[in-house]
Amino acid sequence: MTEQLNKLNVKERIERKYEKLFVNVYNDAETASKKVAGEIAGLIRSKNGEGKKCVLGLATGSSPIGVYAELVRMHKEEGLSFKNVITFNLDEYYPISRDHVQSYWYFMHEHLFNHVDIPEENIHIPDGTIPEERIYEFCQEYETAIKEAGGIDLQILGIGRTGHIGFNEPGSGINSPTRLVTLDSLTIADAAADFYSEENVPKKAITMGVGTILTSRRIILMAWGEKKAAVVKKAVEGPIVDSVPATYLQNHPDTEIVLDKEAAAELVRFKTPWLVREVEWNDKLIRKAVIWLCEKLDKPVLKLTNRHYNDNSLGDLVTKYGSAYDINLKVFNMLQKSITGWPGGKPGADDSQRPERALPYPKRVLVFSPRPDDDMLAMGGTINRLVQQGHEVYVAYQTSGNIAVADDIVLRFLYFSENITKEHLIDTEKIRKELAGKKPGETDTAEVRNLKSLIREAEARAACRFLNIPDGNIRFLRMPFYETGTIKKASLNNEDVRLVVETLREIKPHQIYTAGDLTDPHGTGRKCFDAFVKALQKVKDDQWIDDCRVWLYHGTWKEWSIADVDMAVPLSPEELKRKRAAILRHSSQNQVILPGSDDMEIWRYAIERNHTTAKKYDKLGMAEYEAVELFVEYFI
Ligand code: F6R
């Protein structure tokens, strides 16, 4: 039990009765990162004041990037000095050279060490280049060096989707020391994007052990985004098990888990707050509770009884609404009203009970798609309906998506262009040589990136053409933040936002669909959404915006929870086939595997998720559809 948990008052303790670690939740990763950086800076300063060294345990990966950025800012603007700081990094891939852009040595220098005044000899990172026979000795020396430095004052951690801390994968022992380990297949799949493909990811790593980590005086574990929510729940609320090494932290006296809202979403006090405190019931919360109850008991809405509510901590709701029958009917009607075959509104119909208004008709509909295939994957069926129901549909592809085009595809297109034109606008021989000499993880030249962008644009046009969207209604924004040539994207800048503003002002849509994907704080979907929100700010006083509604679809790898959905669009078997055919027009992406899945292609997953959603509605006692696409309304 951590010391901080013991300090909570009774009410707070009850609310967190399922939590075995002290958790702090912030609105967003940026605010949380600043808070963590503030604590680190405070520690460095106070140690300095006492004339002592400050020993930090550091992590790599996406989670601590904001912390390092803030520390660098504090060094530059507030004179925070790292002269008295000694660092020990958690881990390093093995084998890997220091100058490999994906090495943790490179990462730490790029994000922190190159920008602060830490003496090079104070930096310790496991060495990915030592010969295998020296590793055991090296690991022992690493442990000794930590002890000789006086032990770690503050250890920063991220958490992997396997529940790993450092690279201590499931099965690691609680007393494990620094050692060579084999990476879990899910960890390799998660790293594949950084290394361009799974084959390039080193299969081993040298990591501090769980035992080493637990000797730190204080530990802060950070996790951001929906993607981490499930494992965070296991780490915080689950029993201590070696299949989730992060649960070992429950044995440590001073560990804090710092989360953003999305990563905290599966914890009992956020997901099912009625189980741990009095809640103010509103329609959305009632719907959430009832769907939770149905799923828990495997019963349709209309078959829930007073007894079911009472036995599952929802007696309060029955008291308020009189009977299970009344609540059931209320939620059944809410679900029923959210299902519509008319996503753009039904002309001539009473729209008071429908998700979208009937007029104006036809509507100008603008679909934003972060990558060139997100539109079809997430809402191909709805796009098909919108076009067929006479709306004027525009699609704006926000980024080029060129990073996801394999070299082999470029070669195919080169072959094609060489053989159909006499005059070559591009130097095909040069490009072929460049691709042949490219090392794993190396960045493409601007010329190759342009070719890859064109490949994706041609595919997106083909998919739109198939669904009868006129060529003139397609915009390619090629937002500059994406064009780094690497998986890591640049920060959003004014030009990114300007491009979205320009598209909005040109089309003046009545309805907007955009990816509301908040899963990965460094991902393309998230940045595209941020650009969209910033663009809305800029156009908020335009006249057209008063008659415009925004609908969010979810990014590819997951779907909205039915409890949060405002519009559900059912698809017939025929419509689903059309959707699949539109997706498959993106031929450069057809073999891309969904990270973390057991070899399932993204397109297959997209179709599967529509089937799964339909089954969920069926189980709730709604009509039985072939497939369903889901949307959440975003209020401007
Ligand atoms: C990194 C490390 C890993 C990461 C974890 C989460 O040094 O040891 O345990 O902290 O894989 O990675 P991100 O932060 O990229 O989600």
Side-chain angles (χ1 to χ4, degrees), residues 58-64 68 89-91 103-105 107-108 158 167:
L58 299 179
T60 55
S62 61
S63 309
Y68 298 148
N89 261 82
L90 279 168
D91 41 20
S103 81
Y104 286 168
W105 195 95
F107 176 102
M108 286 310 300
F167 272 139

Side-chain angles (χ1 to χ4, degrees), residues 58-65 68 89-93 104 107-108 156-169 187 190 194 207 213 222-224 227-228 520 522:
L58 299 179
T60 55
S62 61
S63 309
I65 289 179
Y68 298 148
N89 261 82
L90 279 168
D91 41 20
E92 176 63 282
Y93 289 112
Y104 286 168
F107 176 102
M108 286 310 300
I156 298 300
L157 296 178
I159 181 169
R161 285 199 296 146
T162 57
H164 71 213
I165 46 176
F167 272 139
N168 294 285
E169 298 288 12
T187 302
D190 278 350
D194 292 339
T207 181
I213 293 171
M222 296 175 287
W224 324 129
K227 220 170 157 176
K228 296 285 172 77
D520 173 5
H522 303 282

Side-chain angles (χ1 to χ4, degrees), residues 363-367 376 379 382-396 464 467-474 507 511 513:
K363 288 186 175 62
R364 272 190 307 280
V365 177
L366 172 57
V367 177
M376 295 306 161
M379 55 172 296
T382 303
I383 294 178
N384 182 44
R385 283 216 169 198
L386 288 163
V387 175
Q388 285 185 346
Q389 290 167 357
H391 299 287
E392 205 180 309
V393 177
Y394 295 80
V395 188
C464 287
L467 292 187
N468 299 320
I469 297 172
D471 234 29
N473 286 10
I474 300 169
I507 295 167
Q511 214 189 19
Y513 290 87

Side-chain angles (χ1 to χ4, degrees), residues 46-308:
S46 80
K47 287 277 180 184
N48 207 6
E50 296 166 25
K52 289 186 184 153
K53 298 280 184 206
C54 176
V55 186
L56 298 177
L58 299 179
T60 55
S62 61
S63 309
I65 289 179
V67 173
Y68 298 148
E70 177 65 4
L71 287 173
V72 169
R73 189 200 64 75
M74 285 170 153
H75 170 70
K76 292 200 170 135
E77 293 173 15
E78 296 168 9
L80 175 69
S81 169
F82 286 72
K83 287 236 163 75
N84 70 323
V85 174
I86 300 183
T87 63
F88 288 91
N89 261 82
L90 279 168
D91 41 20
E92 176 63 282
Y93 289 112
Y94 185 84
I96 201 161
S97 65
R98 287 179 165 189
D99 58 0
H100 192 298
V101 284
Q102 294 311 332
S103 81
Y104 286 168
W105 195 95
Y106 191 97
F107 176 102
M108 286 310 300
H109 284 77
E110 183 178 72
H111 288 282
L112 184 65
F113 299 146
N114 286 347
H115 314 287
V116 295
D117 59 348
I118 185 165
E120 191 65 34
E121 65 274 18
N122 289 6
I123 297 171
H124 304 82
I125 302 173
D127 185 350
T129 66
I130 47 165
E132 212 159 341
E133 62 276 11
R134 265 265 301 142
I135 294 180
Y136 178 73
E137 202 182 334
F138 174 85
C139 293
Q140 287 197 320
E141 286 163 12
Y142 206 71
E143 296 269 342
T144 310
I146 294 175
K147 280 189 199 114
E148 280 173 359
I152 292 171
D153 293 308
L154 175 58
Q155 173 70 55
I156 298 300
L157 296 178
I159 181 169
R161 285 199 296 146
T162 57
H164 71 213
I165 46 176
F167 272 139
N168 294 285
E169 298 288 12
S172 301
I174 188 162
N175 290 320
S176 50
T178 301
R179 67 206 186 287
L180 182 70
V181 293
T182 302
L183 299 179
D184 187 278
S185 56
L186 181 58
T187 302
I188 292 176
D190 278 350
D194 292 339
F195 284 87
Y196 290 84
S197 89
E198 281 194 21
E199 294 115 68
N200 299 331
V201 182
K203 303 293 173 283
K204 294 187 175 173
I206 297 176
T207 181
M208 266 189 207
V210 178
T212 328
I213 293 171
L214 290 178
T215 59
S216 312
R217 282 181 275 283
R218 178 162 162 76
I219 297 174
I220 298 181
L221 181 149
M222 296 175 287
W224 324 129
E226 200 181 330
K227 220 170 157 176
K228 296 285 172 77
V231 76
V232 163
K233 180 185 174 66
K234 286 189 198 162
V236 172
E237 296 180 348
I240 301 177
V241 284
D242 64 3
S243 54
V244 187
T247 59
Y248 290 137
L249 295 171
Q250 294 175 18
N251 289 310
H252 187 267
D254 190 12
T255 289
E256 181 169 328
I257 310 293
V258 174
L259 307 174
D260 62 3
K261 282 195 312 249
E262 288 82 22
E266 288 290 322
L267 297 178
V268 169
R269 68 178 148 126
F270 298 102
K271 186 160 190 193
T272 48
W274 52 86
L275 295 179
V276 288
R277 63 178 160 86
E278 290 269 317
V279 292
E280 286 267 337
W281 289 108
N282 57 39
D283 284 359
K284 283 208 159 173
L285 199 60
I286 294 172
R287 183 173 65 177
K288 196 169 169 171
V290 172
I291 292 177
W292 167 80
L293 189 58
C294 290
E295 282 169 0
K296 187 169 177 214
L297 303 178
D298 199 16
K299 292 227 170 290
V301 178
L302 294 177
K303 284 194 181 168
L304 295 174
T305 63
N306 286 354
R307 176 87 189 264
H308 293 136

